[in-house]
Amino acid sequence: VSMVLGHVLCAPVTLHGDVIPRASQAIHLGHYIGKNAHQANTNKAKSELCSRINALVFRFKHCSLNVIRHLFCTYCTSYYGCPLWDHSALDSYSTFWRKCIRRILGLPPRTHSRFIAPLLNKPDLKTQFHLRFANFISSCFNSSNELLKACALSSLNSHSTVANNLRIVLSILRMDYDGLTLLLPDNSLKDALRTKCQQNELQNPEDDIVIAVIEELIDIKNGHLHLAPLLNRGITELLHALCAE
């Protein structure tokens, strides 16, 4: 495929006398590039996540909460190529991700978003993506490949997705490019970002209590804790009350 960027006209590209078709979008190493690449990549990721969630729910929905967490983190969190997604436009995928978590944990559809990530013992999805990007960009800047390092440096002053994602990370850290250069040599950008995000995501102590109760109710509902007077209907009503009100 011959990629055409912008409105630049150029001569047809041929191979062995055959004209290579032009396209505004292509797949490279499983990742969409070109026009509307972010939408295409997130749609592909949604489809993959949905199929994996369906498989886990079909086979393991009655497992304990800890087993479900482990299975989800093992099979449903690759997020392939996410450092190159547009991190300023993650709302649609985040909403879909939360719906999947509610389904695999058997939670009410109106469960508050702030409970979802803690029930997985994971940071918020956007935080996970920012951390992966921080690791990615640090690897680029510290690479032994001079061409890769040059591309990373040139992105600092561009309007590319990589540059925009880097600006988002720096805004979270309240840092400029000068501060960035201090964190890159020893790969401490990710650690600094994780610390800052943990400070920003500190939970209300009352939420901690609610989450602990929800965790126990999930295990009771799935048959891994026993509370004789509590019937399935009562468990469902308690989950609705705790998660959605």
Side-chain angles (χ1 to χ4, degrees):
V1 173
S2 174
M3 293 292 294
V4 179
L5 302 178
H7 301 284
V8 178
L9 297 177
C10 58
V13 179
T14 61
L15 180 65
H16 302 305
D18 297 324
V19 177
I20 298 176
R22 289 180 173 175
S24 59
Q25 186 184 81
I27 298 177
H28 177 65
L29 299 177
H31 187 82
Y32 283 94
I33 57 175
K35 186 178 181 181
N36 298 323
H38 173 76
Q39 188 65 46
N41 283 315
T42 53
N43 286 343
K44 179 172 176 282
K46 284 180 184 179
S47 178
E48 291 173 352
L49 178 58
C50 184
S51 63
R52 290 174 181 268
I53 288 292
N54 286 339
L56 290 183
V57 169
F58 179 72
R59 297 172 183 167
F60 304 108
K61 66 179 179 181
H62 294 302
C63 290
S64 68
L65 177 59
N66 283 335
V67 170
I68 292 173
R69 282 172 177 157
H70 179 74
L71 289 170
F72 177 84
C73 293
T74 302
Y75 295 106
C76 302
T77 58
S78 65
Y79 309 130
Y80 179 73
C82 70
L84 300 178
W85 297 0
D86 181 358
H87 288 194
S88 66
L90 291 174
D91 288 345
S92 175
Y93 187 79
S94 296
T95 300
F96 183 80
W97 179 80
R98 289 192 294 268
K99 288 180 179 179
C100 289
I101 306 305
R102 292 184 183 102
R103 181 160 183 251
I104 198 171
L105 297 183
L107 298 173
R110 294 175 61 83
T111 299
H112 291 301
S113 298
R114 70 180 186 273
F115 295 151
I116 301 299
L119 284 169
L120 287 178
N121 284 339
K122 286 284 186 180
D124 177 74
L125 183 67
K126 290 184 179 180
T127 299
Q128 294 182 51
F129 280 16
H130 296 333
L131 289 170
R132 292 191 184 205
F133 175 80
N135 188 60
F136 164 77
I137 199 66
S138 295
S139 298
C140 291
F141 278 111
N142 292 305
S143 173
S144 58
N145 186 316
E146 293 301 324
L147 180 59
L148 181 57
K149 288 177 67 174
C151 290
L153 286 170
S154 66
S155 72
L156 292 178
N157 298 315
S158 72
H159 296 286
S160 65
T161 300
V162 170
N164 291 336
N165 290 349
L166 181 57
R167 292 184 190 106
I168 290 173
V169 168
L170 293 178
S171 70
I172 295 172
L173 292 171
R174 297 183 180 179
M175 184 182 295
D176 56 18
Y177 286 135
D178 291 335
L180 175 67
T181 57
L182 300 176
L183 295 176
L184 288 174
D186 58 356
N187 289 314
S188 57
L189 176 62
K190 183 178 179 180
D191 293 334
L193 181 62
R194 180 185 286 110
T195 301
K196 186 65 175 179
C197 290
Q198 287 173 345
Q199 293 172 353
N200 293 340
E201 292 180 5
L202 288 177
Q203 293 171 205
N204 185 320
E206 293 182 0
D207 283 351
D208 290 336
I209 297 172
V210 172
I211 289 167
V213 175
I214 293 172
E215 289 173 338
E216 290 194 5
L217 288 174
I218 291 172
D219 275 338
I220 293 171
K221 180 168 66 71
N222 292 347
H224 297 278
L225 283 177
H226 299 285
L227 195 59
L230 199 59
L231 302 176
N232 284 339
R233 181 178 175 181
I235 295 172
T236 303
E237 290 175 352
L238 276 174
L239 280 173
H240 274 278
L242 288 169
C243 293
E245 294 182 5

